[in-house]
Amino acid sequence: MKQSAPLVITISRQLGSGGAYTGQQLAQKLNFYYADREILKKTALQFSISAEEMALQDEKLPSFWDCVSKSSFLAPGVYIPPSMTVSPTTGNIFEAEKSIIKQIADKGPAVIIGRCGFHILRDHPNCMKIFLISDREFRIQRVSELYNMPEETALKMIEKSDRERASYNKTFTGKEWADARNYDLSINTGKIGVDKTIGFILDYLKNVPAVP
């Protein structure tokens, strides 16, 4: 990595592995810009929809029936009243978030969460790509406590998230989301704990050699 370019850290993560918390702490300790919900809000603003509506589509592919419904609205000759808005396609959202992520990376040091950042910034001269995973039990307990829900519900939420993120990443990057070869560093937070993971990453960054 070329030290002349601002360092950008991308964090891809399994739900329940502590990705958002890790990113927030790294950004705070390194005095970096933290980009997660801000990407969502800026994208929502571009399409004149609420952040809540955008969150329902963020890092997800639409179901078959969603596609059918949307294509019916967008079919030639179909009249759409001025008061009715048509939600952006997943492709529209990806391209908008891609542009926002690149703008953030160009401005200065940043920690960017998810949204195929590892792929979007693959040509960035100083990007550290991290993937956080953990065992199922650790994830279930963390999600259950974080969202105050039964463990059975947490498990279903985790399984759904894994399917959606894997499918979304495969569609827009052509790569397997959980393939360690996509990243510079893969860490099992369930083995060492989230706080030690943060310390490990900070130590790792101190020892990364610059690329001529």
Side-chain angles (χ1 to χ4, degrees):
M1 292 184 294
K2 296 180 180 178
Q3 299 303 312
S4 58
L7 174 62
V8 178
I9 300 172
T10 66
I11 298 181
S12 300
R13 73 290 184 219
Q14 292 181 324
L15 178 65
S17 64
Y21 176 77
T22 298
Q24 290 166 358
Q25 291 299 307
L26 286 175
Q28 181 178 331
K29 293 177 184 298
L30 295 168
N31 196 28
F32 281 16
Y33 181 79
Y34 177 74
D36 186 0
R37 297 283 299 182
E38 189 65 25
I39 298 172
L40 186 150
K41 291 177 181 177
K42 288 182 177 180
T43 304
L45 188 62
Q46 286 192 23
F47 295 110
S48 300
I49 62 178
S50 69
E52 290 73 20
E53 183 178 352
M54 181 59 65
L56 296 175
Q57 304 180 64
D58 197 39
E59 293 188 273
K60 301 180 183 71
L61 292 179
S63 68
F64 171 77
W65 291 112
D66 286 338
C67 292
V68 170
S69 175
K70 189 169 294 185
S71 64
S72 297
F73 275 117
L74 298 177
V78 174
Y79 173 71
I80 301 177
S83 60
M84 180 182 293
T85 59
V86 178
S87 298
T89 66
T90 310
N92 295 150
I93 294 171
F94 175 77
E95 289 300 325
E97 292 188 335
K98 177 181 176 181
S99 178
I100 292 168
I101 286 171
K102 286 188 172 182
Q103 290 172 18
I104 291 171
D106 287 341
K107 286 183 178 180
V111 176
I112 298 173
I113 304 296
R115 300 172 181 84
C116 303
F118 76 92
H119 178 77
I120 292 170
L121 299 178
R122 62 193 182 281
D123 296 324
H124 189 282
N126 196 13
C127 180
M128 172 64 67
K129 300 178 287 293
I130 297 173
F131 186 49
L132 300 183
I133 65 171
S134 56
D135 56 81
R136 177 175 289 191
E137 290 72 21
F138 180 87
R139 297 171 67 193
I140 290 173
Q141 181 179 356
R142 187 172 179 83
V143 171
S144 178
E145 293 175 353
L146 185 63
Y147 295 101
N148 191 28
M149 61 174 57
E151 291 190 352
E152 182 179 346
T153 305
L155 174 58
K156 291 179 180 178
M157 187 175 177
I158 287 169
E159 291 175 339
K160 183 173 184 288
S161 174
D162 283 353
R163 290 193 301 269
E164 290 175 340
R165 287 179 180 173
S167 180
Y168 183 86
N169 277 263
K170 182 67 173 179
T171 297
F172 292 107
T173 72
K175 300 174 181 178
E176 297 299 332
W177 170 59
D179 188 339
R181 291 173 295 181
N182 296 325
Y183 310 98
D184 300 301
L185 190 64
S186 295
I187 305 175
N188 187 328
T189 60
K191 295 294 184 182
I192 64 175
V194 177
D195 289 323
K196 287 186 178 179
T197 294
I198 296 165
F200 179 84
I201 294 172
L202 291 172
D203 288 340
Y204 181 85
L205 290 172
K206 293 176 184 176
N207 295 287
V208 175
V211 175

